[in-house]
Amino acid sequence: MNIKTIKSKTNLLGLSKKQLEDFFISIGEKPFRATQIIKWVHQRGVADISLMTDLSKQLREKLEENCEIRAPDVVYEKLSNDGTKKWVIKVGEKDLIEMVLIPEKNRATLCVSSQVGCAVDCSFCATGKQGFSRNLNLDEIIGQVWVAANSFGLPREPNSRHITNVVMMGMGEPLLNFEPVVNAMNLMTDDNAYGLSKRKVTLSTSGIVPKIDELSKVSDVALTISLHAPNDELRNELVPINKKYPIQQLLDSVKRYVDSCDDKRVTTIEYILIDGINDELSHAKELGELLKQLPSKINLIPFNAFEGSDYLKPSGNRVKRFQQYLQEQGYITTIRSTRGDDIMAACGQLVGQVNDKTRRKERAKKNLIQTKAI
Ligand code: SAH
Ligand code: SF4
């Protein structure tokens, strides 16, 4: 087999259910084969087509000739003192992305990346500071879940629930890579694949309003809004996309999203607390007022430091005071505990390992192009 043949093989990990059905129709097979493949690949973690025993030998041979199951390469894995696990994954020729598994008492949450870098360029985010490199393809997004699920050992235990929740909160703005992200989330919630309930798959967004409306037409996963400021003046500074889609437009689109779901939803609002910037009691009051229009709970995230940022994490007392005020107003308000920061796996610290000057320049250029396109 030469390199050319390898390259031209279809990666089954990168096909949605619909694309798999179309693929089987195109080779003269019945579309239900798609479900069989999804079960083998995503439910059981099998990468070897010859093991797919409910397909005829002839079909397996045909598939082996034309297809493969190629997961992204893990180049580095590290376990934090608190049990958080971080993987650095190579995608394509040179790009690196990160994913993080956060085990807790009764659940384990996998934090998945959707892009290499990010064009939104929030002032407090290490990924944003890195600039935008490129969108991830479906195989690279769902491949993260596949790799993490297989890390618990093969064959996968039937009905094992090692990963109970997935959050699209790794590198990138998921709504700026719409189709692959939606296809990946569909596989996460497919009973024949990862079988997670739609409430356990969370998409976090900085607020790409038209894409929230588009999402409401095709999905009803949990939506989390990265708000971080209670007024437009401050949010323009922290989350620059706010200049295009200001707070009220954003909250209106969230209301439309919630209305389109067939169950009652409380939206999670993420709010990073940065010392002396957005963590005054006056900000808490403004936030409490603002959110009266939307059933919401608030997740406070003390800023995680990274090299090159002048922002500081507020003291525990300031964080508590902010939380207490919102609780008194009747909001469920939690403080996100920092996990994995000894291995740079905490929120906002995800940058991939390689970050040299030339690549920064290349990314800055692409960043400009994507920002213009938003
Ligand atoms: N782009 C999406 C999803 C990825 S960011 C979004 O912004 O929602 C995931 C979360 O990490 C967001 O809530 C983001 O605000 C938070 N985050 C980014 N940088 C951080 C930092 N330095 N400290 C703490 N949280 C951070
Ligand atoms: Fe992008 Fe989210 Fe980071 Fe903002 S916080 S730069 S949207 S990854």
Side-chain angles (χ1 to χ4, degrees):
M1 202 185 293
N2 61 33
I3 293 174
K4 211 170 160 210
T5 340
I6 295 172
K7 274 197 173 159
S8 62
K9 281 189 171 185
T10 301
N11 187 2
L12 295 178
L13 206 54
L15 298 186
S16 66
K17 187 173 177 200
K18 170 82 177 53
Q19 287 165 334
L20 271 171
E21 284 171 352
D22 291 346
F23 168 75
F24 278 112
I25 292 168
S26 79
I27 60 168
E29 289 285 333
K30 292 274 187 298
F32 74 83
R33 299 277 177 219
T35 303
Q36 287 177 299
I37 293 289
I38 285 174
K39 279 189 172 178
W40 282 111
V41 175
H42 296 290
Q43 197 175 63
R44 302 183 182 122
V46 168
D48 181 347
I49 292 169
S50 70
L51 298 177
M52 302 181 177
T53 45
D54 56 1
L55 306 177
S56 70
K57 193 155 180 283
Q58 214 181 5
L59 177 56
R60 274 181 271 160
E61 280 169 5
K62 196 162 162 187
L63 288 179
E64 278 182 308
E65 229 169 82
N66 299 298
C67 308
E68 62 184 340
I69 294 126
R70 186 173 12 94
D73 275 347
V74 174
V75 292
Y76 172 87
E77 308 186 32
K78 183 115 197 201
L79 192 63
S80 151
N81 295 333
D82 64 17
T84 302
K85 190 167 180 185
K86 165 166 132 171
W87 288 265
V88 177
I89 284 179
K90 188 169 167 214
V91 290
E93 295 288 299
K94 54 175 188 170
D95 283 317
L96 298 172
I97 53 158
E98 302 188 11
M99 63 164 178
V100 179
L101 185 70
I102 308 154
E104 285 165 292
K105 230 189 200 167
N106 298 317
R107 61 181 188 177
T109 303
L110 184 69
C111 181
V112 166
S113 294
S114 56
Q115 297 182 311
V116 185
C118 181
V120 179
D121 197 17
C122 300
S123 62
F124 49 79
C125 176
T127 308
K129 291 297 140 214
Q130 184 190 33
F132 174 73
S133 183
R134 72 167 174 92
N135 282 327
L136 295 181
N137 302 320
L138 174 58
D139 59 305
E140 295 163 337
I141 301 172
I142 204 65
Q144 296 170 61
V145 188
W146 193 86
V147 165
N150 279 6
S151 74
F152 292 94
L154 282 172
R156 284 192 202 157
E157 292 161 33
N159 304 321
S160 74
R161 284 285 177 265
H162 290 300
I163 299 167
T164 61
N165 297 61
V166 174
V167 291
M168 299 301 303
M169 289 189 190
M171 294 166 71
E173 169 47 60
L175 289 184
L176 290 179
N177 185 17
F178 194 82
E179 204 185 305
V181 164
V182 168
N183 284 337
M185 295 192 305
N186 285 342
L187 284 168
M188 293 172 204
T189 54
D190 186 332
D191 281 341
N192 295 312
Y194 299 92
L196 298 175
S197 91
K198 60 191 177 190
R199 284 169 173 270
K200 303 215 160 165
V201 173
T202 299
L203 184 141
S204 174
T205 180
S206 56
I208 318 295
V209 167
K211 295 290 172 186
I212 293 175
D213 284 326
E214 216 176 310
L215 188 70
S216 69
K217 293 185 187 110
V218 293
S219 177
D220 55 357
V221 296
L223 188 65
T224 285
I225 301 300
S226 290
L227 193 65
H228 310 314
N231 60 60
D232 284 325
E233 200 188 344
L234 186 53
R235 195 165 192 266
N236 285 347
E237 234 178 79
L238 302 180
V239 186
I241 194 76
N242 193 70
K243 291 179 202 148
K244 186 143 194 189
Y245 307 117
I247 292 177
Q248 195 50 54
Q249 277 189 32
L250 171 57
L251 294 182
D252 287 343
S253 73
V254 178
K255 285 182 220 164
R256 291 193 290 274
Y257 184 84
V258 170
D259 284 346
S260 75
C261 298
D262 55 11
D263 49 1
K264 276 206 164 154
R265 290 286 171 101
V266 173
T267 305
T268 302
I269 301 294
E270 307 257 65
Y271 193 102
I272 286 192
L273 288 168
I274 310 170
D275 192 43
I277 304 284
N278 64 351
D279 66 340
E280 304 294 344
L281 208 48
S282 60
H283 295 125
K285 284 184 184 159
E286 223 179 330
L287 184 64
E289 277 302 310
L290 178 71
L291 294 179
K292 277 184 182 161
Q293 58 182 302
L294 178 77
S296 39
K297 58 184 178 194
I298 301 161
N299 193 6
L300 300 174
I301 314 164
F303 170 70
N304 286 319
F306 58 90
E307 214 186 299
S309 172
D310 296 332
Y311 289 146
L312 295 172
K313 189 190 280 248
S315 70
N317 277 346
R318 282 177 82 87
V319 174
K320 284 250 165 61
R321 186 184 65 164
F322 204 94
Q323 178 191 34
Q324 202 177 348
Y325 176 83
L326 291 166
Q327 283 174 333
E328 282 162 11
Q329 300 307 302
Y331 291 101
I332 294 175
T333 310
T334 48
I335 300 171
R336 188 189 288 166
S337 59
T338 301
R339 301 285 305 264
D341 62 348
D342 56 325
I343 56 167
M344 290 299 280
C347 288
Q349 294 181 324
L350 307 183
V351 286
Q353 266 182 324
V354 178
N355 203 3
D356 62 53
K357 259 191 188 163
T358 337
R359 298 190 60 208
R360 265 174 182 263
K361 271 192 197 158
E362 275 173 24
R363 282 182 170 145
K365 238 196 246 163
K366 287 189 183 164
N367 210 8
L368 199 68
I369 295 166
Q370 218 206 15
T371 314
K372 279 185 185 156
I374 294 172

